[in-house]
């Protein structure tokens, strides 16, 4: 009778415990659904065009036509900017913090729309281009890149999901990531864990470069993309950049001026305006020029770092 009583008691309480656990899960799901509904109900600040202009073949010319933009209306970051980046040209943006470099990159990727003026891709206003076409044509690699749970190969293939394994490995080789990937326990099939916790900051950045290379955009924006790399990794990436930047328009933002040296043209920014421009060699040779001063300060920091 005691055994029967305990069994009946267990049969009675187990469903009750399952109900309580289900209720907790239901409450969590309801809360999450409410938050998701709020996100879906948000009106985008950069709305899709009602009649998008098709872009069957993107050449990669970018033009800023009298662009003004500010995160606060009374404080413009970029003011009346006129700038043309030719098809296939590699342009570096340098300047002090707050000069407007990243803002210009975000306007190119249409994370924001200008307050006045227009940013054009091959002569078409970005506001008239469908998001799918724009995201395929313009890719931005930042200092912090998101890694998804899954294998290294899956994370690289995020740039182009239809890519074959051979294309994924080719992209990794092009940016100098192949050696470190093959040294992982399962190579390209190694799980990177949540947010890429199994990879170092430099390794995550190399995976992001491979992802961008695989996407094969017409315009590539590198915003401080090598700042988290150590010197050996940066040299590998610089070798890969020669391959990545070939035959495409590129904008490089970097405080490490070693990355800037591969640019065709350097634009020195101050208060959202281009105050100096030219090739890296030409600007370094200008005594008293803004870029020459920045370059000298950068070399001094390298010398002091080596000494310490």
């Amino acid at each position: 009778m005691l055994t029967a009583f305990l069994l009946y008691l267990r049969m009675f309480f187990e469903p009750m415990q399952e109900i309580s656990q289900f209720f907790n899960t239901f409450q969590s799901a309801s809360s999450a659904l409410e938050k998701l509904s709020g996100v879906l109900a948000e009106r985008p600040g950069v709305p899709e065009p009602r009649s998008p202009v098709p872009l069957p073949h993107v050449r990669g010319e970018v033009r800023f036509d009298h662009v003004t933009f500010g995160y606060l209306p009374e404080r413009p970051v970029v003011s009346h900017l006129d700038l043309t980046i030719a098809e296939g040209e590699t342009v570096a943006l340098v300047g002090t913090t707050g000069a407007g470099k990243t803002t210009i990159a975000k306007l190119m990727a249409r994370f924001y729309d200008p307050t006045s003026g227009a940013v054009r891709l091959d002569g078409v206003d970005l506001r008239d281009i469908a998001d799918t076409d724009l995201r395929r044509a313009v890719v931005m690699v930042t200092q912090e890149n998101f890694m998804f749970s899954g294998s290294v190969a899956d994370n690289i293939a995020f740039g182009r999901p239809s890519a074959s394994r051979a294309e994924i490995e080719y992209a990794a080789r092009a940016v100098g990531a192949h050696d470190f990937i093959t040294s992982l326990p399962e190579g390209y099939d190694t799980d990177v864990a949540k947010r890429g916790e199994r990879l170092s900051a430099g390794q995550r950045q190399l995976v992001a470069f491979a992802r961008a290379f695989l996407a094969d955009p017409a315009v590539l924006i590198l915003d401080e993309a090598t700042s988290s790399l150590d010197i050996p990794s940066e040299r590998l990436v610089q070798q890969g950049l020669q391959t990545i930047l070939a035959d495409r328009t590129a904008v490089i933002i970097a405080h490490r001026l070693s990355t800037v040296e591969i640019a065709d043209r350097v634009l020195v920014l101050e208060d959202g305006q281009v105050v100096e421009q030219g090739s890296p060699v030409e600007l370094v040779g200008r005594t008293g020029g803004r870029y020459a001063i920045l370059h000298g300060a950068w070399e001094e920091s390298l010398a002091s770092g080596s000494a310490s």
Side-chain angles (χ1 to χ4, degrees), residues 255-270:
H255 285 106
R256 290 185 182 180
L257 299 188
S258 55
T259 308
V260 173
E261 292 173 355
I262 63 175
D264 301 316
R265 182 163 52 121
V266 177
L267 306 179
V268 182
L269 297 176
E270 191 172 294

Side-chain angles (χ1 to χ4, degrees), residues 5 12 36-37 55 73 118 133 152 160 201 207 261 264 290 301:
F5 174 76
F12 174 77
L36 286 172
S37 299
L55 289 177
D133 291 340
V152 176
R160 181 157 55 88
V207 170
E261 292 173 355
D264 301 316
R290 286 177 171 85
S301 68

Side-chain angles (χ1 to χ4, degrees), residues 193-206:
K194 185 179 180 181
R195 295 182 179 271
E197 292 176 352
R198 291 182 180 172
L199 303 179
S200 68
Q203 289 172 339
R204 289 196 296 270
Q205 202 68 359
L206 288 170

Side-chain angles (χ1 to χ4, degrees), residues 176-207:
H178 178 74
D179 290 341
F180 98 79
I181 294 174
T182 54
S183 68
L184 295 174
E186 298 177 43
Y188 284 85
D189 295 318
T190 302
D191 192 337
V192 300
K194 185 179 180 181
R195 295 182 179 271
E197 292 176 352
R198 291 182 180 172
L199 303 179
S200 68
Q203 289 172 339
R204 289 196 296 270
Q205 202 68 359
L206 288 170
V207 170

Side-chain angles (χ1 to χ4, degrees), residues 282-299:
E282 176 188 350
L283 293 183
V284 168
R286 290 184 186 176
T287 305
R290 286 177 171 85
Y291 182 79
I293 294 172
L294 287 172
H295 195 273
W298 173 70
E299 287 185 332

Side-chain angles (χ1 to χ4, degrees), residues 55 58 60-62 119-124 126 129 134 137-138 219:
L55 289 177
V58 182
E61 182 194 68
V62 178
V119 183
R120 306 182 188 277
L121 177 62
D122 292 349
V124 180
L126 297 188
I129 301 175
L134 183 61
V138 181
V219 179

Side-chain angles (χ1 to χ4, degrees), residues 46-61:
V46 283
E48 277 262 19
R50 293 184 177 179
S51 301
V53 176
L55 289 177
H57 178 68
V58 182
R59 301 191 317 276
E61 182 194 68

Side-chain angles (χ1 to χ4, degrees), residues 3-65:
T3 302
F5 174 76
L6 293 175
L7 290 173
Y8 281 129
L9 194 65
R10 181 177 177 182
M11 292 173 64
F12 174 77
F13 276 108
E14 278 189 354
M16 299 296 290
Q17 289 177 342
E18 290 177 1
I19 290 174
S20 65
Q21 290 174 359
F22 172 79
F23 184 69
N24 289 336
T25 305
F26 176 76
Q27 283 186 315
S28 299
S30 298
S31 176
L33 182 61
E34 185 177 349
K35 293 178 181 178
L36 286 172
S37 299
V39 172
L40 293 173
E42 283 285 331
R43 298 184 64 182
V46 283
E48 277 262 19
R50 293 184 177 179
S51 301
V53 176
L55 289 177
H57 178 68
V58 182
R59 301 191 317 276
E61 182 194 68
V62 178
R63 190 166 73 247
F64 287 75
D65 286 339

